[in-house]
Amino acid sequence: MTESFSTLCLRFKPQYFGASLSLRAMCVSSWRMQLGLTWLLLLSFTPRCDSMPDPRQREALRKLELSRKIGGGVVLNEKEKLLDGKLYQMKRQEMAAPDFPPAKHFFKAKSLIDASPVFSLLQKMPKGAALHVHDFAMVGVDWLVKNVTYRENCYVCFTDDGSVRFVFLSTQPKVAPFCSAWVLLKSLREKHNTTELDNSFIRNLTLFTEDPDSEYPNQDVVWKRFEQAFLVAYGLVTYAPVFKDYLYEGLRQFYMDNIMYVEIRALLPLTYELDGSLNSRDWSMRACQDVVQFFTAQYPDFIGTRIIFTVHRGLNSTQAVTVVKEAIRLQRDFPDIMAGFDFVGHEDSGNPLWYFKEALGLPEELGVHLPYFFHAGETNSEGTAVDQNIMDALLFNTSRIGHGFAMPRHPVVKELARKMDVPVEVCPISNQVLQLVSDLRNHPAAILMAEGHPMVISSDDPALFGASGLSYDYYQAFMGFGGMISNLATLKELVLNSLRYSSLSPALKEKAIEALLKKWDKFVSESLL
Ligand SMILES: *[C@@H]1O[C@H](CO)[C@@H](O)[C@H](O)[C@H]1NC(C)=O
Ligand SMILES: *[C@@H]1O[C@H](CO)[C@@H](O)[C@H](O)[C@H]1NC(C)=O
Ligand SMILES: *[C@@H]1O[C@H](CO)[C@@H](O)[C@H](O)[C@H]1NC(C)=O
Ligand SMILES: *[C@@H]1O[C@H](CO)[C@@H](O)[C@H](O)[C@H]1NC(C)=O
Ligand SMILES: *[C@@H]1O[C@H](CO)[C@@H](O)[C@H](O)[C@H]1NC(C)=O
Ligand SMILES: [Zn+2]
């Protein structure tokens, strides 16, 4: 069906072209009727020739539009309808409050969200999977400072640009470039106010500040701080014993937020021992396997973790060939835990995907399958080389798109993604803190959500933003760009999507979804008490 809405209007309601401005705007827009059903629906109304639009037609249009949103096809049972009604009231009340959290910077909104009844319900909601989180940003930084830096043999040095670095070593470490002499933290703590020292470490490990607008005047500044914070955590997290504990603690924090499965974008750096010796990358993979096995033995309703191997997009094309070969090897040697490959880092200042085309074509050339999970479209620079990343991600058969913030600006690519059933991983708080959008009601995912584009919600780097798990991001999606039309059906579809679009095998996926639906029913019943 290719007949346009304007023809339809002309045929039935010519008088509206003179009479109603808003309807004229609607009619002349080139909205194409794509569903035969829609066509029939509209045809079945007898046109009225007075000045009032037909209320039945109005209602039919409204329903049609609602049916397209995420959750538009979900049928709620009686209990779910009751909870939906309750949720609607809670939502309305919070929307009416003068201090609306999604409209503020997360650093200022967090305490408001913590006090929100909707948030508290979202925390209890089983959220399925977290599909977009990074290995060094899963665990709240308090744990890094209060637990990890208090371990034996921890040294600290102070960099020329006001930051810190950590290392564990059995002997005095050699001086690092641009850093003071290494000091044993234990002896430093004896001489200093420990509370103040620890707080300064916490500030170095997150982006949190009371005044984000003046501290981070632009994206480059905030990205610089972001990469700096990774370097601070690096020396702590790559110490072999901490590497395992960190992963365990990360899984625990996600599990506590009612998440049953996690896919981690992991740099898989080489870990080191107390004598300074380095372990292989295979050691890291085996460590992940061991930790996940240990964790699932303790929490049997947690189904596991898979790793997406990531490298920085600052690499050159020759280096990229080497790492893609390494990814292929890891995929072959660790098929259970290895999910695929991706690039990380600030998209605007890194190499675009097309620059890596030889490396990315390698698996197919070699006749092996290496699934891709590309970050793409985490930008608001329209029309640059980087802005082609979403298209190129799809051309390289990506399984999901990390962020896809630029998606609504690419109508053809958007249609292609939908045909290929490739979801976007929307991370609202990350996009706000890294300055792609300020008021989350204006997040482009609002459009994608309204048209039912495949989507999952994730948290990217919760530890760096002072968030945790997924609940804060669900809150922003549900209250911010979800608006009043997103409801319990929306949440149910988003939660199910997280497992549907995971890299789990079809058999495991089916089992996981079954388990999730049981948790969901329990959540609905308990929330009605
Ligand atoms: C640090 O964490 C480890 C592993 O999670 C735990 O065994 C240990 O008791 C913790 N130590 C402190 C000081 O909290
Ligand atoms: C350490 O600093 C904190 C915060 O500035 C202060 O409240 C506390 O009294 C200080 N402790 C000591 C022992 O000086
Ligand atoms: C990082 O830690 C150093 C040393 O304690 C401190 O001087 C500096 O202010 C901290 N940086 C931030 C951003 O708080
Ligand atoms: C990439 O970097 C490596 C090491 O720095 C260098 O040997 C190689 O020539 C570079 N390749 C390209 C295409 O620039
Ligand atoms: C594209 O990716 C999917 C899912 O990972 C896979 O099943 C399919 O074989 C891939 N197709 C090509 C042409 O690589
Ligand atoms: Zn990311």
Side-chain angles (χ1 to χ4, degrees), residues 92 132 137 151 158 168 205 214 234 264 267-268 334 354 362 364 385 398 400 416 422 432 442 457 488:
R92 246 184 34 172
H132 187 137
R151 298 182 186 201
F158 301 90
F168 289 88
L205 283 159
S214 56
Y234 191 89
I264 305 174
L267 290 161
L268 293 177
F334 300 91
W354 194 243
L362 206 57
E364 203 178 319
T398 196
R400 301 193 297 262
L416 184 64
V422 170
Q432 189 195 49
N442 298 332
I457 302 298
L488 193 67

Side-chain angles (χ1 to χ4, degrees), residues 1-12 23 26-45 57 60-61 64-65 68:
M1 193 65 65
T2 53
E3 186 121 47
S4 74
F5 195 53
S6 55
T7 336
L8 188 77
C9 291
L10 271 173
R11 196 177 298 158
F12 286 114
L23 250 174
M26 197 158 114
C27 290
V28 294
S29 80
S30 64
W31 180 32
R32 300 260 160 198
M33 297 286 110
Q34 285 170 342
L35 295 170
L37 182 78
T38 319
W39 177 248
L40 284 174
L41 197 71
L42 291 169
L43 274 182
S44 66
F45 295 114
Q57 184 173 19
L61 278 174
L64 180 64
E65 195 157 75
R68 295 199 185 175

